Amino acid sequence: MSRIPLIAGNWKMYKTGPEAVKTAIDLANLCSKVQGIEVMIAPTFLSVQHVAESVKGTNVKIGAQNLYFEKQGAFTGEISGDMLKAADVEYVIIGHSERRQFFGETDESVCKKIKAATQIGLKPILCIGESETQREEEKTFEILDKQVSDGLKGLGSDELKNLVLAYEPVWAIGTGKTASIDQVDDVHQYLRSLLEKLFSKDLASQTRILYGGSVKPENVKDLMGIKDVDGALVGGASLDANKFINIITYNT
Ligand code: 13P
């Protein structure tokens, strides 16, 4: 089964509305001839609707960085899946390590969010990854196993047909340290076999598994050359359209 690569930019808490719109339009112009690859950007909640409107009809797809699992109600400060859908959002990043680390996200809340996303037709990008200590203690696979099994608990292959996994080793995020080719290769192979064990061969072969953690124009080609790497989730290097396009066009 062929998996169309996805190169996604997570803009985290960067850019005001006008800055986000400008970068998105610049990127859409630079991407106008890109083929055979999906491009997505995830601006802040505040900018997402304007950004979506400004790149409508272009090659650039829109993601959100989080959602709340309830449909609506007295949940001050939260945003629902329906609200994101109405703003033309297609993807939603769930369980990013920064949300786990700073905002109390757990595998249980991640699971509820994945369910909410799939029910409304948003494509979930489930982020998983071990800390430096966990890697040193050789707990990487155990941690990933738990994050995937608990994060997707109670969901079936049908509901997960648009699932994307993003392996983001915490120690490689924003540090300039990239996991080695062997480390990424081992983990991505492991994740695909885990999906097969937990769900089905079909789901395992159709699910895109992205790598994230200090992806840059200089290392993207090697990373994308790994068999089970189907794209990248890029933080810092996605903030500048000229830099990000060099990642997106790694193959040209
Ligand atoms: P950096 O590319 O800045 O390391 O961030 C990765 C990331 O967290 C993407 O979600």
Side-chain angles (χ1 to χ4, degrees):
M1 163 144 344
S2 73
R3 299 178 292 267
I4 299 172
L6 171 64
I7 307 277
N10 174 8
W11 285 359
K12 307 192 180 185
M13 198 176 75
Y14 291 100
K15 295 187 188 291
T16 62
E19 287 165 353
V21 167
K22 184 179 180 317
T23 311
I25 293 173
D26 288 348
L27 182 68
N29 288 333
L30 291 166
C31 279
S32 63
K33 298 212 167 59
V34 168
Q35 281 183 334
I37 202 150
E38 263 191 278
V39 178
M40 183 276 264
I41 46 176
T44 67
F45 280 147
L46 193 60
S47 316
V48 76
Q49 183 158 357
H50 290 308
V51 168
E53 283 163 6
S54 69
V55 298
K56 209 179 171 105
T58 73
N59 278 340
V60 177
K61 300 187 167 178
I62 301 298
Q65 299 174 20
N66 184 25
L67 86 169
Y68 192 55
F69 47 79
E70 294 288 353
K71 285 191 89 59
Q72 60 175 16
F75 303 106
T76 302
E78 294 296 323
I79 302 280
S80 73
D82 289 290
M83 293 168 190
L84 296 175
K85 275 290 268 196
D88 273 339
V89 168
E90 185 172 335
Y91 286 92
V92 58
I93 298 170
I94 295 175
H96 191 281
S97 65
E98 286 148 18
R99 295 220 55 87
R100 296 178 191 256
Q101 207 177 332
F102 304 125
F103 303 102
E105 194 82 82
T106 61
D107 291 330
E108 290 66 41
S109 59
V110 163
C111 186
K112 288 183 182 166
K113 291 179 179 192
I114 301 266
K115 280 191 182 131
T118 57
Q119 273 163 13
I120 188 100
L122 287 165
K123 298 173 179 167
I125 302 181
L126 168 59
C127 298
I128 50 175
E130 80 288 0
S131 68
E132 189 147 41
T133 318
Q134 288 163 342
R135 178 161 280 273
E136 279 164 10
E137 290 172 354
E138 298 185 0
K139 291 194 176 135
T140 299
F141 294 112
E142 185 189 319
I143 294 294
L144 295 172
D145 192 313
K146 182 171 183 316
Q147 289 173 336
V148 174
S149 312
D150 290 358
L152 301 177
K153 198 180 255 169
L155 286 138
S157 288
D158 278 359
E159 291 157 289
L160 294 176
K161 61 180 187 298
N162 289 317
L163 173 73
V164 178
L165 278 190
Y167 170 55
E168 300 206 306
V170 179
W171 49 271
I173 295 179
T175 56
K177 281 193 220 170
T178 319
S180 72
I181 300 297
D182 283 349
Q183 286 170 331
V184 178
D185 192 20
D186 281 355
V187 166
H188 281 234
Q189 278 192 47
Y190 176 80
L191 292 172
R192 205 171 299 285
S193 56
L194 182 60
L195 287 174
E196 183 172 339
K197 189 180 91 183
L198 295 173
F199 299 99
S200 64
K201 208 175 171 72
D202 277 356
L203 190 85
S205 69
Q206 83 194 32
T207 302
R208 287 173 294 179
I209 308 179
L210 316 184
Y211 168 78
S214 300
V215 176
K216 338 176 238 257
E218 300 80 50
N219 60 19
V220 63
K221 202 174 169 124
D222 288 345
L223 289 162
M224 291 298 290
I226 302 169
K227 183 173 148 280
D228 283 299
V229 172
D230 307 307
L233 185 53
V234 187
S238 72
L239 294 168
D240 176 331
N242 290 307
K243 202 167 191 183
F244 196 31
I245 192 68
N246 286 328
I247 294 180
I248 294 162
T249 54
Y250 68 92
N251 222 0
T252 56

